[in-house]
Amino acid sequence: MVALACLIISVATAEQIKTTNTTSSYHLPLPDGVSGAESLAFYGKDGIYTGVSDGRVLKWRGRAAGWSTFAYNSNFRKLPLCSDSSVSSQEKESKCGRSLGVEFYRKTGELYIADAYFGLMKVGPNGGEAEVLAKEADGVPFHFVNGLAVDQATGDVYFTDSSLNFTRRFNLGITITNDTSGRLLKYEAQTKHVTVLEADLPYPNGVALSRDSKHLVVALTWPCQVFRYWLKGPMAGKYELFAELPGYPDNVRPDNQGGFWVALNRERLQQAPVKKHLVGVRLNSDGKEVEELTAVWDVTLSEVATFNGKLWLGSVDLDYIGVLAI
Ligand SMILES: *[C@@H]1O[C@H](CO)[C@@H](O)[C@H](O)[C@H]1NC(C)=O
Ligand SMILES: *[C@@H]1O[C@H](CO)[C@@H](O)[C@H](O)[C@H]1NC(C)=O
Ligand SMILES: *[C@@H]1O[C@H](CO)[C@@H](O)[C@H](O)[C@H]1NC(C)=O
């Protein structure tokens, strides 16, 4: 649901880029009645966590025990609507919430949640009702909180609010109107204060920290770009282009090799017939594309994450998580 207007720029020559076809991935099904594992978090030896379409964060407890509720917001408990699977998630998401970014702070076992409607949230290591940490910055309320990254050294959280004008449900409006009201934000764990790092951005979505914590990368969906925001060193505060992408990005995660996996909803729209359906790219530490992920046509990805020697494929549209041996 992010398609439309990117300019067509040739990104790199095909022979330098490894292509991995995700069609053979194992499908870990979500429970009946929910879908859309947009973002994935991992904790401990084999704990897998994801936010789904009814606003909850679920935990996978292995084949025998299956999925269980890990975290939920205050409305999930109060409003029967939220657990009524006969009501579409589009209709109820503004009340029931939608967890779009999830990541643990490993020192404390707390899970941070970027909820499109509730704002930045946190839940303790045993789960339960998540606490809202922030709903606005500089007096301007969040409208569409989307991606996050936790600095494992400090506990600070970097996150995005994709637009001041459109909520997640109406996110197509961001692309159609070329909306540039998104923000890149920082939640400081010590002071609990939120600062605006960059404002007036076109559809900021996923965010990740570099391996050396010196900079962030943030994916901009409709311009099909990744920008770099310097946190440390002589460039601190500078915001610059990092990579042009061959498709519409969602979340960004470290690839454990010093670079990043960027999940793509789809390849750029173009005049020429499209020969392969792109759902992800791996960028090296300089922003150069080094690998592509392809899929069959009805697959879209919102996150590509590495854990236990496998690639984990989240999708806001599908009712399963893909798992690919690497
Ligand atoms: C989005 O919000 C900004 C700031 O409130 C405003 O200036 C702009 O006109 C709005 N854009 C649209 C497309 O509504
Ligand atoms: C948005 O940008 C595209 C490409 O740059 C342009 O063709 C289109 O007219 C713009 N739309 C609006 C509503 O400004
Ligand atoms: C990926 O594999 C599937 C199944 O084998 C095949 O149909 C599809 O064409 C392949 N895609 C690419 C881009 O090679």
Side-chain angles (χ1 to χ4, degrees):
M1 295 286 285
V2 294
L4 292 177
C6 303
L7 297 169
I8 295 149
I9 298 163
S10 83
V11 173
T13 50
E15 55 275 14
Q16 301 164 298
I17 298 173
K18 176 184 169 191
T19 300
T20 302
N21 191 339
T22 61
T23 306
S24 61
S25 66
Y26 169 76
H27 294 178
L28 173 61
L30 294 171
D32 287 346
V34 298
S35 62
E38 154 123 1
S39 176
L40 309 166
F42 306 95
Y43 195 69
K45 202 162 52 67
D46 48 15
I48 297 149
Y49 301 76
T50 188
V52 291
S53 54
D54 66 2
R56 286 179 297 162
V57 174
L58 304 180
K59 177 182 183 182
W60 172 248
R61 296 152 58 87
R63 248 172 249 281
W67 293 99
S68 62
T69 301
F70 180 70
Y72 49 87
N73 57 61
S74 54
N75 278 0
F76 189 80
R77 191 170 38 77
K78 283 186 274 191
L79 304 177
L81 169 79
C82 298
S83 34
D84 182 347
S85 59
S86 69
V87 183
S88 78
S89 52
Q90 284 79 12
E91 267 171 82
K92 62 188 184 186
E93 67 178 37
S94 66
K95 292 196 181 74
C96 302
R98 191 70 172 85
S99 302
L100 298 181
V102 284
E103 189 174 337
F104 281 93
Y105 178 37
R106 298 188 179 283
K107 275 186 194 161
T108 60
E110 293 164 309
L111 180 71
Y112 283 92
I113 303 167
D115 187 292
Y117 297 91
F118 280 72
L120 181 67
M121 304 176 82
K122 181 176 89 169
V123 69
N126 300 319
E129 186 170 317
E131 167 197 0
V132 177
L133 299 173
K135 295 171 84 95
E136 53 96 13
D138 286 355
V140 181
F142 304 149
H143 221 71
F144 179 3
V145 173
N146 199 331
L148 63 68
V150 180
D151 184 334
Q152 297 297 333
T154 61
D156 295 340
V157 183
Y158 299 96
F159 63 108
T160 56
D161 186 29
S162 292
S163 170
L164 300 180
N165 300 300
F166 300 96
T167 61
R168 192 197 95 98
R169 184 175 179 191
F170 302 104
N171 72 82
L172 205 54
I174 301 177
T175 308
I176 291 169
T177 64
N178 297 345
D179 178 270
T180 55
S181 64
R183 296 185 289 175
L184 175 64
L185 303 145
K186 176 184 183 180
Y187 171 80
E188 210 174 303
Q190 286 289 317
T191 61
K192 303 188 179 346
H193 188 71
V194 177
T195 49
V196 179
L197 301 180
E198 285 290 323
D200 306 324
L201 303 181
Y203 210 153
N205 196 326
V207 55
L209 262 167
S210 63
R211 182 149 72 179
D212 60 10
S213 304
K214 286 194 175 144
H215 67 85
L216 298 171
V217 291
V218 55
L220 305 178
T221 297
W222 67 251
C224 302
Q225 290 170 327
V226 175
F227 269 67
R228 163 159 58 188
Y229 181 91
W230 287 96
L231 296 167
K232 293 179 187 159
M235 308 268 275
K238 193 169 159 47
Y239 179 75
E240 62 183 10
L241 184 66
F242 184 66
E244 297 280 358
L245 299 172
Y248 299 83
D250 200 318
N251 289 336
V252 189
R253 288 295 179 220
D255 69 350
N256 290 341
Q257 301 175 62
F260 305 94
W261 273 113
V262 184
L264 302 177
N265 185 269
R266 56 159 294 160
E267 55 287 337
R268 287 169 186 255
L269 289 179
Q270 55 191 56
Q271 304 295 316
V274 177
K275 294 194 199 72
K276 57 185 176 183
H277 176 43
L278 289 180
V279 288
V281 289
R282 188 158 70 82
L283 304 175
N284 71 11
S285 58
D286 301 320
K288 184 173 169 291
E289 186 183 331
V290 289
E291 188 170 348
E292 282 181 351
L293 294 183
T294 60
V296 291
W297 292 100
D298 52 355
V299 166
T300 70
L301 292 190
S302 52
E303 187 161 301
V304 178
T306 55
F307 178 64
N308 279 355
K310 296 188 174 70
L311 277 189
W312 298 76
L313 311 174
S315 171
V316 74
D317 298 316
L318 302 174
D319 58 4
Y320 63 86
I321 294 169
V323 189
L324 198 64
I326 45 175

